[in-house]
Amino acid sequence: MNAPRIAVLGAGPAGCAVALGLQRLGYRVWVISEWRRFAAVEGVSARVLEGLRQVGLHQALASAAPPTPRRVRWSGVDQLLNDERLLDRPLFDAALRRDLADAGVELLQGRIRQLGQQGEQQRIVLEDGRSLLADFLVEARGRQAPLGEGRLRGPETLSLLSSWQAEPGRAGSAVESLADGWSWMAALADGRCYWQITLDAAAAELPPRDELPAYCAARRQASALVQALFGDSANAAAPVHARSSTAILPRQVVGPGWIRVGDAAMAVDPLSGNGVFQSLSSALQAPAVINTLLQHPERTQLACRFHQQRIEHLFMRFARTGRDFYTAEPRWADAAFWRARRGWPDAQPLHVDADIARLQVASMPVLNDVLIDEAEVVLTVDQPLGIWHIDGVTLAPIVRSLQAGRLEAALAALAPASRRAVQGWLLQQGYLP
């Protein structure tokens, strides 16, 4: 009997990470994608590179440029950082496709015209007329994916991206806050320049579409930081690509026969974290979820709960991170852009102080190798989805012993290294021996 055929819609980092994970589990995988419609560049951190390495995207990892200086002008303070790496998205996207080819994953180039159900299978129709049947569908087309009904939506946000060619020079990037939004910019060593301004979609006073290049050029001319990074090349009008940057969490991100990953599962405000890291964060668990749905249909509810909870948890963490960045800029607190974002999505702190008295043991879905299982975990104020193991030690019995006054006996039964690890975790939770 042939292994189920899985169709992954989208060849970005999330789609490719899921495809490679499924291929390693023995599934037959199609990746269906068209090329990105506009050139772009992204700044990534070392944790993104580690994520690419972990999922086996080695060609994509090699496409990252060496560390470049990044200048930050926020809240009237200037900082110079040196830990950002620039990703040329056309080169990065091509490298992702090479990673798929190296792994033997079949890539179908084309735009999807229609999705539908045919019996128990998913039917995919491409613009060129090709029709495919898959046993499972992975939606990884980012913000282009049909949304359906949204569960949570942030302030309506618009980003305008300009790019142009200048003389080759030193690579670098910068970000600055503005009275009506913020901008991010990057110069590549070969002279390609990128500048993006992010504004409130409702409050921005924008000209007609054909006047946007001149509008963006005028905004660049008014910024000393832009002039320092790009020089006179920034003053000319350049083509503009407009896109939504609104944070969106769909109501449902997984079900029998389908799953959402990457920006299709949670599209976050670009200020809260770079897109590649967010995409990988939401995609790493997907192969185990899919494997469980296909091999253990009796665990469908458990597997869906696992993915839904973790996507929602990640989304809220990214949203609160963005909120805190906006709150850190007090100069325009009453302006429409900043006022709408300083209190969204809620007032809950990003990190909550540990409280040993609030530890709870509960049965939750967990990632157990390549399947989703159910186990007793420890819930903390900062980890509401629970912690299963510390250094190979199951935590629930330890916490039960703590609550019953028998902690010393439970710790004494552990190997010295494991005992130290568990004791360290207990101290972080506020335990006083």
Side-chain angles (χ1 to χ4, degrees):
M1 182 176 178
N2 289 331
R5 169 69 81 175
I6 300 175
V8 179
L9 312 183
C16 291
V18 174
L20 293 185
L22 291 170
Q23 183 89 343
R24 285 191 287 269
L25 291 175
Y27 290 101
R28 298 177 298 155
V29 184
W30 281 317
V31 174
I32 305 169
S33 178
E34 59 178 332
W35 284 97
R36 177 182 286 266
R37 300 178 192 178
F38 60 94
V41 66
E42 292 188 41
V44 300
S45 63
R47 63 183 178 176
V48 172
L49 304 185
E50 181 57 31
L52 293 171
R53 183 179 294 109
Q54 285 182 7
V55 299
L57 293 170
H58 302 296
Q59 299 271 8
L61 172 64
S63 72
T68 56
R70 183 190 192 207
R71 191 170 177 183
V72 178
R73 180 171 293 170
W74 205 265
S75 187
V77 177
D78 278 7
Q79 289 182 293
L80 186 63
L81 310 174
N82 291 293
D83 59 349
E84 184 165 63
R85 292 172 181 261
L86 297 177
L87 283 183
D88 180 348
R89 280 309 299 249
L91 292 178
F92 181 67
D93 291 344
L96 288 171
R97 285 163 165 76
R98 291 197 299 275
D99 280 318
L100 293 178
D102 290 347
V105 176
E106 185 176 358
L107 174 65
L108 303 179
Q109 189 71 38
R111 188 175 185 183
I112 297 165
R113 187 178 71 193
Q114 185 180 356
L115 295 175
Q117 196 83 15
Q118 185 168 320
E120 295 184 355
Q121 292 182 300
Q122 306 282 343
R123 185 169 180 262
I124 306 146
V125 180
L126 304 186
E127 276 197 337
D128 60 10
R130 284 178 291 173
S131 181
L132 311 167
L133 289 176
D135 301 295
F136 196 94
L137 198 66
V138 180
E139 178 57 87
R141 287 178 290 172
R143 290 179 180 268
Q144 298 178 35
L147 177 62
E149 187 179 2
R151 178 189 182 103
L152 189 61
R153 191 178 185 96
E156 296 297 324
T157 306
L158 174 70
S159 291
L160 303 176
L161 172 67
S162 300
S163 61
W164 64 94
Q165 182 69 47
E167 294 296 322
R170 187 183 181 189
S173 64
V175 61
E176 68 174 331
S177 55
L178 307 167
D180 57 349
W182 59 280
S183 66
W184 184 84
M185 60 206 80
L188 301 181
D190 62 6
R192 281 177 293 161
C193 302
Y194 297 86
W195 175 86
Q196 178 172 282
I197 188 169
T198 297
L199 307 164
D200 189 281
E205 298 180 0
L206 296 176
R209 179 177 291 270
D210 60 351
E211 297 178 17
L212 284 177
Y215 167 84
C216 289
R219 296 297 302 259
R220 293 193 296 271
Q221 291 173 26
S223 168
L225 192 56
V226 170
Q227 300 299 313
L229 182 63
F230 299 122
D232 293 339
S233 73
N235 298 333
V240 175
H241 178 83
R243 53 181 172 170
S244 171
S245 294
T246 304
I248 302 173
L249 175 67
R251 181 168 295 278
Q252 189 175 1
V253 296
V254 62
W258 63 275
I259 194 171
R260 285 176 171 264
V261 298
D263 280 352
M266 57 170 192
V268 302
D269 186 309
L271 188 64
S272 65
N274 65 71
V276 176
F277 178 71
Q278 176 264 319
S279 292
L280 289 174
S281 298
S282 67
L284 290 174
Q285 67 203 30
V289 174
I290 297 167
N291 191 43
T292 305
L293 292 171
L294 290 172
Q295 302 301 328
H296 293 275
E298 74 280 4
R299 299 188 196 177
T300 293
Q301 185 176 3
L302 187 71
C304 290
R305 180 184 169 201
F306 177 88
H307 189 66
Q308 186 78 33
Q309 286 181 333
R310 275 152 180 77
I311 291 296
E312 292 177 0
H313 180 69
L314 278 171
F315 180 85
M316 295 305 293
R317 278 194 176 269
F318 282 116
R320 290 168 183 147
T321 297
R323 174 204 62 198
D324 291 351
F325 279 134
Y326 288 122
T327 303
E329 174 51 273
R331 291 179 294 172
W332 303 292
D334 294 330
F337 178 91
W338 299 93
R339 186 173 63 249
R341 289 158 180 80
R342 289 165 62 89
W344 187 87
D346 55 27
Q348 182 174 320
L350 178 60
H351 297 290
V352 182
D353 291 339
D355 185 349
I356 193 75
R358 293 175 63 184
L359 297 184
Q360 298 179 49
V361 175
S363 181
M364 297 283 284
V366 296
L367 179 61
N368 187 5
D369 194 15
V370 296
L371 291 171
I372 305 304
D373 209 339
E374 189 168 21
E376 283 196 330
V377 300
V378 177
L379 311 184
T380 74
V381 291
D382 205 41
Q383 295 289 337
L385 299 183
I387 306 170
W388 190 12
H389 294 107
I390 291 288
D391 197 37
V393 178
T394 304
L395 273 183
I398 300 293
V399 171
R400 288 194 187 281
S401 297
L402 168 68
Q403 294 170 341
R406 297 191 300 269
L407 178 62
E408 292 305 318
L411 292 176
L414 300 178
S418 296
R419 186 186 311 125
R420 288 192 295 272
V422 171
Q423 287 174 324
W425 178 80
L426 288 169
L427 290 173
Q428 292 173 2
Q429 303 309 309
Y431 172 66
L432 298 176

